[in-house]
Amino acid sequence: MSTESLIFEKGAPGRAIPLLPALDVPEKPLDQLIPASYLRAEPAPLPEVSEIEVVRHYTRLSQRNFGVDMGFYPLGSCTMKYNPKINEDMAALPGFARMHPLVDDSLAQGAIKLLYELEQYIAEITGMTRVTLQPAAGAHGEITGLMIIKAYHESRGENQRNVVLIPDGAHGTNPASATLADYVTVELKSDKRGGVDLEHLKTTLAEHEGRIAALMMTNPNTLGLFDENIVEIARRVHEAGGQLYYDGANANAIMGITRPGDMGFDVVHLNLHKTMSTPHGGGGPGAGPIGVAKHLVPFLPGPLPAKDESGYFWEDAGPQSIGRVRAFHGNFLVLVRAYTYIRTNGPDGLRHISDSAVLNANYIMRGVEADYDLPFNRECMHEFVLSADRQKALGVSALDIAKRILDFDVHPPTVYFPLIVHEAMMIEPTETETRETLDSFIALMRQIARETRDEPQTILEAPHFTVVGRLDQTLAARKPDLRWNPSREPATVS
Amino acid sequence: MSTESLIFEKGAPGRAIPLLPALDVPEKPLDQLIPASYLRAEPAPLPEVSEIEVVRHYTRLSQRNFGVDMGFYPLGSCTMKYNPKINEDMAALPGFARMHPLVDDSLAQGAIKLLYELEQYIAEITGMTRVTLQPAAGAHGEITGLMIIKAYHESRGENQRNVVLIPDGAHGTNPASATLADYVTVELKSDKRGGVDLEHLKTTLAEHEGRIAALMMTNPNTLGLFDENIVEIARRVHEAGGQLYYDGANANAIMGITRPGDMGFDVVHLNLHKTMSTPHGGGGPGAGPIGVAKHLVPFLPGPLPAKDESGYFWEDAGPQSIGRVRAFHGNFLVLVRAYTYIRTNGPDGLRHISDSAVLNANYIMRGVEADYDLPFNRECMHEFVLSADRQKALGVSALDIAKRILDFDVHPPTVYFPLIVHEAMMIEPTETETRETLDSFIALMRQIARETRDEPQTILEAPHFTVVGRLDQTLAARKPDLRWNPSREPATVS
Amino acid sequence: MSYVPNTPAEQQAMLREIGATTIEDLLKPIPADVRLQRPLKLPAALREMDVRRLLVGMAEQNADLDQYISFLGAGSYDHVQPSIVPHLVKRSEFYTSYTPYQPEYSQGMLQATYEFQTLVCQITGMDVANASLYDGSTSVVEAALMAAGPGGRGEVIVSRALDPQYRATLQTYARTRGFTVREIGLEGGITSAKELRDALNKDTKAVIIQHPNFFGALEDVHAIEKIVHETKALFVVTITEPASLGSLEPPGAYGADIVAAEGMSLGSPIGYGGPALGLFATRNEFVRRMPGRIVGKTVDDRGQTGYVLTLQTREQHIRRERATSNICTNQELLAIFTTVYLSALGKQGFSELGSQCIRKSHYAQQAICALPGFSLAFDHPFFDEFAVNCPIPVETLNAELRDRGVIGGYDLSRDYPELPNAALFCVTEARTREDIDTLVTVLEEIVGAAK
Amino acid sequence: MSYVPNTPAEQQAMLREIGATTIEDLLKPIPADVRLQRPLKLPAALREMDVRRLLVGMAEQNADLDQYISFLGAGSYDHVQPSIVPHLVKRSEFYTSYTPYQPEYSQGMLQATYEFQTLVCQITGMDVANASLYDGSTSVVEAALMAAGPGGRGEVIVSRALDPQYRATLQTYARTRGFTVREIGLEGGITSAKELRDALNKDTKAVIIQHPNFFGALEDVHAIEKIVHETKALFVVTITEPASLGSLEPPGAYGADIVAAEGMSLGSPIGYGGPALGLFATRNEFVRRMPGRIVGKTVDDRGQTGYVLTLQTREQHIRRERATSNICTNQELLAIFTTVYLSALGKQGFSELGSQCIRKSHYAQQAICALPGFSLAFDHPFFDEFAVNCPIPVETLNAELRDRGVIGGYDLSRDYPELPNAALFCVTEARTREDIDTLVTVLEEIVGAAK
Ligand SMILES: Cc1ncc(COP(=O)(O)O)c(C=O)c1O
Ligand SMILES: Cc1ncc(COP(=O)(O)O)c(C=O)c1O
């Protein structure tokens, strides 16, 4: 496939697509309506292109991108499952997509009902009391949860609690959110089984006695392992006066099997763009609703969807609420997709999803374990982490392996995360893959292990068949070129 | 891009997507409702696949296909112009897409109105009196037109008229339609200017005196040339008692400039999938409405859309009508697109389209004439025909050139048509291409002419970058393999 | 608005480049006396949003099947369209491409068509299928033409229970082409075997029946096949309701020579009846006499599997006046709708489709015929349509239903004067039990009020 | 229904292959006392068509902007979405992909994002933009945090004419993070320059104003800029109605340090307010302090141009607790909506967008204020929104309008007790003259009847 120039390099002066409706009110000079000093001197220097140019450009760009619809995407921690098309159709219904956020509740009965019920479903799935649907993503849920925890401690006069414990395997958003909430992060070590080191937890709790605000963790954790000590961990943190925050990025492993609420967590977020398959959209939008235990309900942001005999309505938050965490009602059209997904799958379907996700991960793990290091060799949940240490010794890194995978219409696993595994490769197949796909991925991983020994050069020079080769990241960071600029690159249009 | 196996080679026994609604009436055994002897012994042996398999398979297949949205498509005689997306949206409106064809007229007022108006627009564009929208494509229009002509002659007791004159450059559907109408085809020669040879016309008319049923022709003809003698041709054929049929495949050249009705034609078809940009859909559906002059109106198929004070309705055809040429009302959703297109462009827009199509064709013609033979060197209309005779002498055929073009994300021109030009390459850029695209195509054609001289092997081995190379057509025809068969190729699913 | 990208200034520059001043210079070959001397009389151009408003307004003046509860079939069937079908078919790589004459650029369309041909064979039980014809009615025409052969004379026998619009279409072509269409009558709602036997003669080129027939009734296909094949005539089976193939014995199993069917209800939008999808399948021995485009599998110069248009010497662009048909543009994109639809439904789903239609239609039939004054017109097995004698004229009944948001059964008196009060109700899987119960309640109401 | 492809039999075989008998064997690590011992209490699974019916029914209970004539703005704006925008953005290569961490597989998304960053700069006049934040309100939060710096203390001044929901959101974060938000009042519908001058002090990290402000009024941005930049505070300009940039002077031209805006009305669906699109642009010198993902241009090992995520050391996945922000998932797909939208509208179209909004809103304002009892709340230039004092309570007025199919202006008394009877009307290019005339007629009717 040939390259594709920038939209700014296309078109010609004067080209335009008259997409707006024809003006049907008097065409008064603008400066009779607004003093000229407020107005632009020149039109914004946007592209001047025709419709066919726009269509071809973005169609071609799309063809330079890989998504779940093209092939296997076992990107650990991201739950890249099939995104049902029906969900897209429902989110595009004019009754949802063409709603103004400030209409009177009487004109939004379907929408508020949907959110009201979705809140209940999420509460049930996570084992929490109530839920806010405002957060736009997991990290937004995290900061919202931490703000709630903070407000809770303050309501009890415990303003001194400023420490958040975070396992060393945690995702970067966890410590970043803690900082944003004005907390100090203290890292918890993992033990040999890949779970929280109980001894280290004990000493850390003791060390920060009286100052523990919360523990944030995933379970299954970022190694894909379920921490069996979760009840004890929860008990100890609670005894130390801390709250437990559940990072739900890995919830695809547990639906109908176990619930964060039952494990002892006080706040839980779900990444609906992962677990509930609202598509990830190349990086967003997502939705990161959080559920809270009973004692934290008064602190939830508002308004919340409510219902009485006359119908559904938005209920303002109470006096202890932390307040809004964004404008309007959350990423509504994402929530419509999640609602559709939950209704389509039902309770047994969600359980079957998690069971199947776990099975698929274990199946691949057992298929590749002979060829790669498996730092924690026990049943995994919905994903697992390999190490390419053995390959690294032969000069082939996890990154190289990822690049070689690109040659086979398969998206590589997450690499170099979690940080606690050398040359980590985090593999999450999800439940929507066929056995054939899993088998061919296993075969590919084995082939690459063989190539590492027999023809490492093939790997080091990979990818061979992509539209671009390995890109110079250093150059990009050292001399940032973050936008097109007419002066530097004139649009050469004849 | 790797290959893609057949859908039949995917899946596994028992896989299924439960897409139908849940059964909500009693699940009686079928043979209590219908005697078993009428029922299938076995379910039809269709694929057993999951949703993700279907989605990936057809997404990947789409990526192995080239359309106007990907790049330049100067396929002569096919008018591969940009297909506006708004037309697709309008055709998808539930009020059009979800209508049953037999609903009472009172429930179809918008649809009948649309067809009523579209008929009028087409009549105005072609200069005819009335139009039937039933024909599904150009060839269907042709046979419909010939049936009308036949009925007309018969109504005048001239059953003996059985000869249809067709210029030697005509499209294959013209003679095929004549045969289907039980007519004998007589070929008219082209003269040196690329038009109908008037002398030959005269002698042919004389030879078949009293037996001339019709002349079928395009104007501009398949060489892209306007036949200046059209008025005389029409007069002579009419004098000989024949009718004139206008093959409207080239109407993109003439909108608002000249009209077949004014040239003297009695029946005209338009290929809406060409001129009116209802997309070609990989081969169909199209729509081939025909317009007729006043004396032929009684013979039109029915019913026709009509209007009175109480609204729009379907009016049955009169006693002289040839009858239906298909079930229902034509390719309705295609007609919705054409209607949208005409309303979007308006009279000036349609004229501008034809002007621009003519300009673009002449522009390319002048850009490449130095490197290729131009058998008829005069102003062309919306397309023109080159000959690769010069290249052929160096061992490179029109087909080879087409294959080389495939290497550049450009669709090749039509080759080997019309039959009257050796090594024909028929180039129709359409009006929706930018000057840059035309320039780069000219440059490409020149490059290929150079390669013919300097490195013919590159051309003979082309295409180099397509998902498949040149395919064995002989094998395909000699040992037809027209369907997948389980016995021959077992679906090897582990 | 305009889709022409080049600005007037650019067009001027281009003209200059080729030595012209105005576009008129290029139009010189057109004699002045055929030039249109005025603008076209058409409504002025609209911008996109304005044209959208216009069309949305027109669409709203039509009854759409999501807003009305419809029991109309009679040749056009409302089945569920799974969400993935339009998502995949409407990818622009498919719909903005032309006929795949350049196979290297068209492997997607070609392979999908090869799959389509296979799927048509799988549901009909036939050997081979083409890439589509215009619609069911013209498929029947092509079947008759193929049976009649190049000479095109002789006689074709059709059942009176063949869709009236199909019969009309066939008549139109027959009149022009020069063969005879002889219609044979019915006995208790199905084709009369006796009349058929009497009608067959040495000039009979084909016998065309519809199964399920226009009344939804199942024909005695085995008996008919035997009668037909006692002669040299070809046995042509027409299907307007292809969902029936989910449950009924396929034509290949009962000896059909040609299947000429309408396929649009297999995944395509119902669209006021068009674009439609003519299906055409036959036996191996007839393959070189088949009309229409055909895709075949082959190999490329690198040894890879690939697909091409094949047996093109049957077609008009090669064979011209001796082609087997004049068809060029067909209904390709609808073939892809059907391909994705049948693949997605798959073995289980397609079977379930048939059985849901049977169960729901029988549930409805029993409930309707339990109402006083309503009775089955024919006591014959049916698939998802059935003719009911009504206590009041169907036109009156349907007008009343309409006012209540229900579209009633087809008024058979429009085509069959011998059935003055019969309505043809169709019930597919797309109707819910609630829909059916509503119909029954409303029917009772109307007839009660009429008394 | 289920999207799990493997059948129970296949799953059994897979289990066997890895030495397990049931899935329970794999779930052993989960202690029994945290296992859920019952099925989830959720409604039973629905099949696709049934779920479709359910959701269609719910959607129909909402007012959609094609059915009602709406004059609501107040932070969410109804602009025309050209047909090509969803056609292109909804290509599954885009929406089924993840964050482009593997650039070789993500050039489409990366290049489109680079174009997005450029387009945001082009309309705002700023140097550099990121790849999106959650929404306008959290963009404002990020601007405040960036201004406050890693320490996160100090004070941020906001205008009372900043969207009330944005102020509330900022308060929430400020309380947790530990900085102060000081609100300054209004003078005649715009930010009081005097109050601003008085409020500024050495701890002021940023001054945040909205332009056009919440009342649609144009702020005196030049004057404010001068006042702000007499201190070290950053000048943050918030825009909730980005269409205004089609006509108004861009913030880069009047000295803004940060633009924190809501971009969803540039091509994305209005969707009950979400997903939204936080725009964030700043000056070159702040680039390494910017929050969020950024795409940069580079070259590959073959010398070709390519695009990558860059400056990642600002981000949480690298810098963890020292990151500039905690954002990970952003609103990427909406950035692509905006990219296609702005490219398609282009130079002429975007300019026309602005001027149509101005002309239509002024046409409406004049007609409304010509009605007895209606008058402009503030005599100030505005873009496409204006506050009108009404003769009856806005709540009553709007209820009456609703019954006539019209959605009236936003009731300002909900947030501004000092404006008890003021409605904020918004008129964009998506409203027709007929819509506006209908509003005026209906207002007259209602107020007439109320007398
Ligand atoms: C374990 C974990 N936690 C948190 C997040 C952050 O979620 P989001 O990207 O939705 O903000 C992620 C996302 O990748 C994650 O994998
Ligand atoms: C000149 C000419 N005539 C007739 C036709 C037949 O039209 P259709 O394919 O719509 O049947 C074509 C199609 O390519 C054509 O180019």
Side-chain angles (χ1 to χ4, degrees), chain B residues 4-5 7-8 14 16 21 24 28 34 38-40 45 47 49 57-59 61-62 64-69 73 78 84-85 89-90 94-95 97-101 104 107-108 110-111 124 139-140 147 150 170 172-173 177 179-180 182 228 231 257-259 273 279-284 314 322 324 326-328 331-333 343-345 347 351 356 360 403 406 409-410 431 433 435 463 466-467 469-470 472-473 476-477 481-484 489, chain C residues 1 3 5-6 11 14 24 29 31 34-36 38 40-41 43 45-46 52 58 62-66 73 76 78 88 91-93 95-98 102 104-109 111 114-115 117-118 122-123 126-127 134-135 137 145 153 165 172-173 175-177 219 245 247-249 271-272 274-275 288 296-302 304 309-310 316 320-321 326 329-333 339 343 346-348 356 359-360 366 382 402 429 433:
Chain B
E4 179 63 19
S5 62
I7 191 74
F8 312 106
D24 57 1
K28 294 203 185 153
I34 291 181
Y38 291 98
L39 299 174
R40 271 189 179 281
V49 288
H57 178 62
Y58 292 104
T59 301
L61 285 190
S62 78
R64 298 163 72 83
N65 220 61
F66 185 91
V68 175
D69 276 13
Y73 213 128
C78 302
K85 303 300 173 198
D89 291 349
M90 296 304 92
R98 296 278 299 132
M99 278 186 85
H100 193 285
D104 191 76
L107 298 182
E124 166 66 6
H140 201 201
M147 293 198 284
K150 190 162 205 171
T173 51
S177 297
T179 301
L180 188 53
D182 209 29
E228 308 92 315
V231 177
I257 298 173
T258 176
R259 309 189 305 170
H273 42 299
H280 207 280
W314 284 107
I322 59 164
R324 300 196 148 269
R326 61 166 295 159
F328 305 130
N331 278 349
F332 178 66
L333 297 178
R343 295 302 303 257
T344 302
N345 282 289
R351 170 69 201 257
S356 307
N360 285 2
K403 297 305 175 195
L406 293 169
D409 286 340
V410 171
E431 73 283 3
E433 297 298 332
R435 186 179 181 188
T466 48
V467 292
R470 294 200 200 186
D472 191 338
Q473 298 272 9
D481 176 347
L482 310 180
R483 60 172 291 196
W484 177 81
E489 294 160 279
Chain C
M1 66 178 273
Y3 301 108
N6 295 326
Q11 294 200 334
M14 289 167 67
E24 280 303 324
V34 303
R35 283 293 300 270
L36 184 67
R38 56 167 178 81
L40 289 168
K41 290 186 192 132
L46 291 175
R52 181 185 289 274
M58 290 169 89
N62 302 321
D64 87 60
L65 295 177
D66 299 321
S76 183
D78 182 27
L88 294 167
R91 285 183 57 85
S92 60
E93 291 91 333
Y95 76 77
T96 72
S97 68
Y98 193 75
Q102 293 286 347
E104 298 89 341
Y105 260 24
S106 315
Q107 284 300 298
M109 210 70 202
Q111 181 172 337
Y114 180 84
E115 294 181 356
Q117 292 169 184
T118 306
Q122 289 177 336
I123 63 172
M126 304 300 287
D127 297 333
Y134 300 139
D135 78 340
S137 73
L145 291 168
R153 296 290 181 271
Q165 299 204 10
T172 304
Y173 278 82
R175 217 175 292 126
T176 302
R177 181 72 181 134
E219 291 282 351
L245 294 172
S247 291
L248 301 185
E249 193 181 11
Y272 205 35
R288 285 172 203 271
K297 186 172 164 179
T298 185
V299 293
D300 75 356
D301 54 10
R302 311 165 199 167
Q304 299 179 106
L309 295 180
T310 193
Q316 45 71 31
R320 303 180 70 85
E321 67 274 10
N326 73 330
T329 289
N330 61 9
Q331 305 287 115
E332 194 62 45
L333 199 69
T339 303
S343 298
K347 186 171 170 178
Q348 282 183 30
Q356 283 213 14
R359 292 193 173 108
K360 289 196 172 182
Q366 278 153 25
F382 62 88
R402 221 144 51 221
E429 88 291 356
R433 181 182 189 145

Side-chain angles (χ1 to χ4, degrees), chain D residues 54-115:
Chain D
L54 176 77
L55 272 286
V56 165
M58 290 168 90
E60 280 168 359
Q61 287 165 40
N62 301 322
D64 87 60
L65 295 177
D66 299 321
Q67 242 128 36
Y68 280 76
I69 305 176
S70 165
F71 297 92
L72 261 185
S76 184
Y77 301 90
D78 182 27
H79 292 290
V80 161
Q81 190 193 48
S83 172
I84 54 169
V85 175
H87 274 271
L88 293 167
V89 180
K90 291 184 178 181
R91 286 183 57 85
S92 61
E93 291 90 334
F94 286 139
Y95 76 79
T96 73
S97 67
Y98 193 74
T99 307
Y101 291 124
Q102 292 288 345
E104 299 89 341
Y105 261 24
S106 316
Q107 284 300 298
M109 210 70 202
L110 285 161
Q111 181 173 336
T113 306
Y114 180 86
E115 294 180 354

Side-chain angles (χ1 to χ4, degrees), chain D residues 2-26:
Chain D
S2 164
Y3 301 107
V4 175
N6 295 325
T7 60
E10 287 174 292
Q11 295 200 331
Q12 269 311 317
M14 289 167 67
L15 282 165
R16 231 176 298 124
E17 180 100 6
I18 59 173
T21 316
T22 67
I23 290 190
E24 280 302 324
D25 293 344
L26 306 174

Side-chain angles (χ1 to χ4, degrees), chain D residues 307-321:
Chain D
Y307 302 86
V308 292
L309 295 179
T310 191
L311 305 182
Q312 297 188 65
T313 50
R314 299 164 301 109
E315 289 186 80
Q316 45 72 30
H317 63 283
I318 308 280
R319 187 64 68 86
R320 300 179 74 84
E321 68 274 11

Side-chain angles (χ1 to χ4, degrees), chain A residues 1-2 10-12 15 50-53 55-57 59-60 62-63 65 67-73 80-86 409 432-437 439 492-494, chain B residues 1-2 10-12 15 50-53 55-57 59-60 62-63 65 67-73 80-86 408-409 432-437 439 493-494:
Chain A
M1 201 176 303
S2 59
K10 298 181 188 288
R15 284 198 199 148
S50 57
E51 190 158 317
I52 196 170
E53 288 171 277
V55 167
R56 285 197 184 143
H57 178 63
T59 301
R60 288 180 189 149
S62 77
Q63 293 181 330
N65 221 60
V68 176
D69 277 12
M70 278 97 255
F72 189 39
Y73 213 127
M80 296 301 284
K81 57 170 80 175
Y82 170 63
N83 305 126
K85 303 301 170 198
I86 178 74
D409 286 338
T432 61
E433 297 298 332
T434 62
R435 187 181 180 186
E436 301 88 273
T437 298
D439 284 338
T492 47
V493 171
S494 57
Chain B
M1 198 176 303
S2 60
K10 298 181 187 288
R15 283 198 199 147
S50 57
E51 190 157 316
I52 196 169
E53 289 170 275
V55 167
R56 286 196 183 144
H57 178 62
T59 301
R60 288 180 189 150
S62 78
Q63 292 181 330
N65 220 61
V68 175
D69 276 13
M70 277 95 255
F72 189 39
Y73 213 128
M80 296 301 285
K81 56 170 82 178
Y82 171 62
N83 306 126
K85 303 300 173 198
I86 178 74
F408 297 88
D409 286 340
T432 61
E433 297 298 332
T434 63
R435 186 179 181 188
E436 302 88 275
T437 299
D439 284 338
V493 171
S494 58

Side-chain angles (χ1 to χ4, degrees), chain B residues 408-423:
Chain B
F408 297 88
D409 286 340
V410 171
H411 196 284
T414 297
V415 287
Y416 301 110
F417 176 71
L419 306 178
I420 53 174
V421 172
H422 288 164
E423 299 293 325

Side-chain angles (χ1 to χ4, degrees), chain A residues 173-324:
Chain A
T173 51
N174 293 182
S177 298
T179 300
L180 188 53
D182 209 29
Y183 281 135
V184 172
T185 300
V186 172
E187 200 168 88
L188 287 182
K189 290 210 180 74
S190 300
D191 65 11
K192 283 201 212 84
R193 290 189 51 82
V196 168
D197 184 323
L198 278 185
E199 282 315 305
H200 187 235
L201 174 66
K202 275 187 235 170
T203 58
T204 311
L205 288 173
E207 190 181 329
H208 300 282
E209 203 188 318
R211 296 203 294 117
I212 302 295
L215 164 66
M216 299 179 84
M217 69 180 275
T218 51
N219 198 17
N221 62 23
T222 59
L223 298 166
L225 302 174
F226 196 91
D227 198 321
E228 308 89 318
N229 299 327
I230 184 61
V231 177
E232 184 173 351
I233 294 167
R235 186 176 52 75
R236 286 192 183 276
V237 172
H238 278 149
E239 278 172 12
Q243 295 283 292
L244 272 91
Y245 184 95
Y246 184 87
D247 173 346
N250 294 342
N252 206 44
I254 60 158
M255 290 186 290
I257 298 173
T258 176
R259 309 190 305 171
D262 300 339
M263 299 179 210
F265 286 91
D266 304 291
V267 189
V268 178
H269 85 243
L270 284 189
N271 306 63
L272 298 185
H273 42 299
K274 300 179 180 178
T275 317
M276 299 309 171
S277 200
T278 72
H280 207 281
I290 59 168
V292 298
K294 191 140 183 259
H295 62 287
L296 298 178
V297 171
F299 304 96
L300 278 174
L304 290 165
K307 182 187 175 181
D308 65 14
E309 53 296 334
S310 67
Y312 294 89
F313 62 99
W314 285 107
E315 187 164 46
D316 280 334
Q320 290 193 294
S321 165
I322 59 164
R324 296 198 150 269

